[in-house]
Amino acid sequence: MGFTKRQHDQFWDIARNLDRYLREIHVPTAGGNRRFGDIAAPFQWERFNLLAPAIIAVASGTPPPANFYWIEATKGASKDSDLALLLIWLLLVSPRALRMQIGAADEEQASEIRLIIRRVLMIGAPFNQWISEQIEVLSDRIVNRRTESTADILTTESRSAHGSRPDLVLINELSHVGDREFAETLLDNADKVATSVCIAATNAGWLNTWQHEWRENAIHSPRWQAHIYSQPAPWISEERLAESRRRNSKRYLRLWAGVWGLEGEGDAIHQDDLEAAFTLDGPLAAPERGWIYMLGGDLGTAHDASVLCVLGKHVGCVDSKPIDPQPAKNLPRFGRSHSGFDEESLLTNSEETQSIVVEGTGALKLAALSIFRPGANGGRVDLTLVEREIARLYSIFRFLAAPIDAWQAEQLVSRSQQAGIPAELTHASGSVNNAIAETVLSAFVERRISLWRDPALVADLQRLSIVERGENKVRLISPKSKGGDQTGHGDTCSALGLALVAARRFAFGPPATFNGPLVCWP
């Protein structure tokens, strides 16, 4: 889109003033694209007021009021979005070529800032479009084509973090950065430049960790300035907060109230909800009427097990039964002494039936669980045995879907598909992991799932923990046990989760019924 010189000058006047820029730029919201100045909450302006002098100093190359900033906020409190707006401004207005670094735990978290910036630049408002003509979002960096200012996106696997002299460093989601040396390297880089600014942004994390040590230092050190927002953002609904509180009170306090908690395994499923699920004696020998079935597969060969999980979902059915015989009408009633016939012989002999609708409940039931462990002394799982087991389970349950983790599974899935089995490759992406977490947690919280006490499954479920992966994204992890015959990194939970995600595709409720004659039209 072309702009006139007058428009160009007008937008530059807005952009050069950080306050005007923040008030005029449009951002995506649940209610559509809005001017940020019309929707920003007071706590966001407090955060900007703390950071603004340092951000302006970076743009001009002058010493900032402080070199280090601690930005802590609860889940959904726009932390990433607000910092993304500041990055855009620096890339846009600095007359010199800035070198900035965005550090994150992994590629999934690193993508959050990149995705937010891309969404802002795609908004059709004229000011946003004018910005988008100058800033480009690439896979590993964000650049200004005109000034060559660059914000490099680094993860813990990056090797380019060492030796840099950045003007600004943003360590995003610090509580999830497992590699302390990576985070310290980024801080050391900022320390090399007297005018550099480092921002550590995070949700509340865990006590007795190096991240909490950093927090305490940031609060008490004169070299740091901190802004901590420890309450739910005003746009988070009470219903969502209440549901989170019911699901896991410890997790609720950490995410929505900013309370740093004690880290430990098994914080995903409440023990009461887990115990309520153990209502079955063992696997099913055959499918049940009114139920449909899915298979989830998590395949490992050397270090982890291969697990197949068949899950049933109650969707309802239509049964029929003979109509009860009724006495014949308009016929005289005779006793045996008069006619030689008893009254039962005079009942109507109807072969009619009536339909009985069994409504679906959406209940979930574990039907089969097959575990293939690696052999001793470096042995591997024989995937041909896994393939045969999939075929055997399909011959029994005729499952409608069979998502299987793509790792090690491509040829197995291909051969299963050729055999008519509805197998499908499933890649462990962020969206898939998030879907697994949502379906697993809701199944237990709503107490819709029934299991039996398989030792490996029980152990994996008890160790299951929740890890945040960016805004509104979570995944479940089950740490590897330190002995015994467990499956490994939550393999049974992964297979169960894939089956639960598949089950979500199929609706349940009153089965379709037809009244009147069936008419076929050529």
Side-chain angles (χ1 to χ4, degrees), residues 421-459:
I421 299 172
E424 56 194 75
L425 282 175
T426 301
H427 297 272
S429 63
S431 59
V432 170
N433 290 328
N434 195 61
I436 289 175
E438 289 179 353
T439 53
V440 169
L441 294 177
S442 63
F444 283 93
V445 171
E446 297 167 8
R447 300 195 174 183
R448 293 186 293 112
I449 190 168
S450 297
L451 312 169
W452 66 87
R453 293 183 183 273
D454 178 89
L457 178 61
V458 172

Side-chain angles (χ1 to χ4, degrees), residues 287 293 295 310 387-402 416 419-423:
Y293 296 90
L295 178 139
V310 177
E387 186 175 343
R388 292 174 193 167
E389 180 66 0
I390 293 174
R392 187 188 73 85
L393 292 171
Y394 182 67
S395 70
I396 298 172
F397 295 101
R398 295 292 170 179
F399 35 82
L400 301 181
S416 297
I421 299 172

Side-chain angles (χ1 to χ4, degrees), residues 346-369:
L346 298 178
L347 297 177
T348 57
N349 184 19
S350 173
E351 296 182 355
E352 295 182 4
T353 60
Q354 61 179 350
S355 296
I356 305 298
V357 176
V358 180
E359 296 189 4
T361 64
L364 302 163
K365 180 186 295 186
L366 183 61
L369 185 66

